[in-house]
């Protein structure tokens, strides 16, 4: 599917974004390994979460989807009769590997060509330290992964990369291990797993960047509501900041501080917004965000310690930086090279086509803001976050932008284009097949 978009006039109105993808994965997994029933409302309908759901079904878990409610019947996992397909989803593969390493059976996990080239040594190493037996392609570096379940033991682990997926993998493995685990993070990453573990009656202690988890825990199923996905909301925030006369209200969006680094960045850029109705639901902060068009944003310098809390928003920050006053500098973001695409290369290559003044660096980029972007033929690299970021660039560029391979937005946000349409945004779809 290609999208043809031209410069648009104001975004106006009120929206809700669909349930958070990260939290939805975790709700499905925690529901499966807890005693009793878990009822999940406002779950993400993304393809990535569907990958987790299908893997869990193939592990013998009964999951029912009725209207807007997903019911998971917690149970012992069973040996899958086939390979588990994680699709494009790193979260599915890394979190499930933690769970499966402690089960008394054999399992194999694979994914699409992007996922099969993403690093798995970062989880294989700690899982082996725990006594797990797990193998990967190319000397234990890449999927497919083969796991022969073992009785695990807790570990003391200092993480080299700041990754919530790695942290969550170890926490989940510990739930099936003897003893206890201590994890140290280089920088704080999203803490949805820790919050949800407590919500499901589990025990976990967090002291600064250190996490302590007891092994062999019994969890209890719950009713859980998934807040709107802050990462999805960011595209509407960016669009409203950039398009003259815009003003929108995004309701019931997750405001977990380990996710909302983007708000701090746009605040430094001079962006105008307000947070309203802040409250806590199911152990996660949630609220509304009102955003206003901001005539000229200023360039911003982003530091390595900020990167984990804006990890998925950096391509979008590159779009904002491209039309801001002065320089935008991102460093310490090498992790972007091992996402669904090499996001440093993909966003730099595509924004250059739109005449952005952006220079690729090993661990980030340097952007000199220009007055306007030019429409161009750009490609998503089959990466949902690149597609959505380029769509925003297309909304403010002079002339026509053709966004090739835009169907990948459904990996995290199938409703993306419809939601923009609902706010009065105009664009054309050049191929109705939805591929
Ligand atoms: C995620 C963590 C992040 C993020 C990904 C989702 C999660 O990955 O980029 O989109 O749900 O834990 P890393 O933890 O590998 O940085």
């Amino acid at each position: 599917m290609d999208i043809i978009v031209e410069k648009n006039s104001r975004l106006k109105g009120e929206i809700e974004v669909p349930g958070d993808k990260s939290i939805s994965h975790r709700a499905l997994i925690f529901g499966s390994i807890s005693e009793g029933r878990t009822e999940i409302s406002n779950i993400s309908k993304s393809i990535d979460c569907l990958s987790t759901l299908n893997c869990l079904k193939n592990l013998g878990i009964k999951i029912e989807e009725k209207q807007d409610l997903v019911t998971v019947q917690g149970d012992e996992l069973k040996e899958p009769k086939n390979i588990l397909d994680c699709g494009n989803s790193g979260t599915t593969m890394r979190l499930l590997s933690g769970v499966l390493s402690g089960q008394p059976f054999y399992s194999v996990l694979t994914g699409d060509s992007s996922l099969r080239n993403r690093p798995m040594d970062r989880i294989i190493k700690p899982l082996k330290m725990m006594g797990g037996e797990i193998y990967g392609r190319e000397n234990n570096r890449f999927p497919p992964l083969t796991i022969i379940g073992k009785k695990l033991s807790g570990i003391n682990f200092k993480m080299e990369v700041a990754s919530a997926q790695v942290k969550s993998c170890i926490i989940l493995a510990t739930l099936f291990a003897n003893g206890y685990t201590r994890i140290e993070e280089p920088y704080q990453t999203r803490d949805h797993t820790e919050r949800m573990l407590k919500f499901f009656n589990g025990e976990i202690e967090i002291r600064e960047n250190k996490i302590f988890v007891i092994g062999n825990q019994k969890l209890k199923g719950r009713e859980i509501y998934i807040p709107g996905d802050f990462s999805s909301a960011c595209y509407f925030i960016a669009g409203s900041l950039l398009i003259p006369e815009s003003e929108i209200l995004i309701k019931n969006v997750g405001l977990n501080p380990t996710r909302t680094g983007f708000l701090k960045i746009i605040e430094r850029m001079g962006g105008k917004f307000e947070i309203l109705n802040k409250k806590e639901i199911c152990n996660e902060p949630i609220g509304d965000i009102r955003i206003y068009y901001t005539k000229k944003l200023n360039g911003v310098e982003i530091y390595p310690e900020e990167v984990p809390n804006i990890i998925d928003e950096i391509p979008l920050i590159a779009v904002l930086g491209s039309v801001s006053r002065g320089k935008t500098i991102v460093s310490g973001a090498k992790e972007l090279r091992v996402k669904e695409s090499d996001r440093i290369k993909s966003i730099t290559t595509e924004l250059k086509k739109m005449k952005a003044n952006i220079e690729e660096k090993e661990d980030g980029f340097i952007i000199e803001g220009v007055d306007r972007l030019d429409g161009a033929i750009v490609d998503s690299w089959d990466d949902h976050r690149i597609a959505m970021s380029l769509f925003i660039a297309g909304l403010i560029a002079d002339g026509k932008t053709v966004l090739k391979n835009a169907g990948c937005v459904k990996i995290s946000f199938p409703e993306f284009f419809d939601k923009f349409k609902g706010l009065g945004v105009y664009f054309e779809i050049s191929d109705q097949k939805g591929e």
Side-chain angles (χ1 to χ4, degrees), residues 239-252:
S240 307
L241 290 173
L242 293 174
I243 301 174
E245 290 176 47
S246 295
E247 181 186 327
I248 64 162
L249 180 67
I250 310 175
K251 296 195 75 165
N252 298 322

Side-chain angles (χ1 to χ4, degrees), residues 97-105 132 147-152 173 176-177:
S97 294
V99 174
L100 293 172
S101 290
Q103 307 304 316
F105 54 71
I147 298 174
I148 297 157
K150 286 271 143 83
K151 191 66 220 171
L152 306 175
F176 299 94

Side-chain angles (χ1 to χ4, degrees), residues 21-22 26 91 94 122 162-165 190 311-312 339:
K21 176 163 84 82
S22 275
R26 286 157 173 83
T91 307
R94 295 193 177 116
R122 53 182 61 193
S163 161
Q165 294 180 355
R190 63 187 69 187
I311 188 74
D312 293 333
K339 292 291 178 188

Side-chain angles (χ1 to χ4, degrees), residues 20-23 25-26 48 90-92 94-95 118 122 159 161-168 189-190 192-193 231 259 308 311-312 335-336 338-340 343 384-385:
D20 186 272
K21 176 163 84 82
S22 275
I23 303 177
H25 282 295
R26 286 157 173 83
D48 270 4
T91 307
T92 306
R94 295 193 177 116
L95 269 56
R118 294 182 64 190
R122 53 182 61 193
M159 285 167 45
V161 279
S163 161
Q165 294 180 355
V166 174
K167 171 176 68 176
S168 304
T189 62
R190 63 187 69 187
H192 303 305
T193 303
S231 294
R259 288 288 295 285
I311 188 74
D312 293 333
E335 269 299 287
L336 290 185
V338 292
K339 292 291 178 188
E340 287 83 329
R343 287 184 178 160
H384 55 124
R385 304 235 178 257

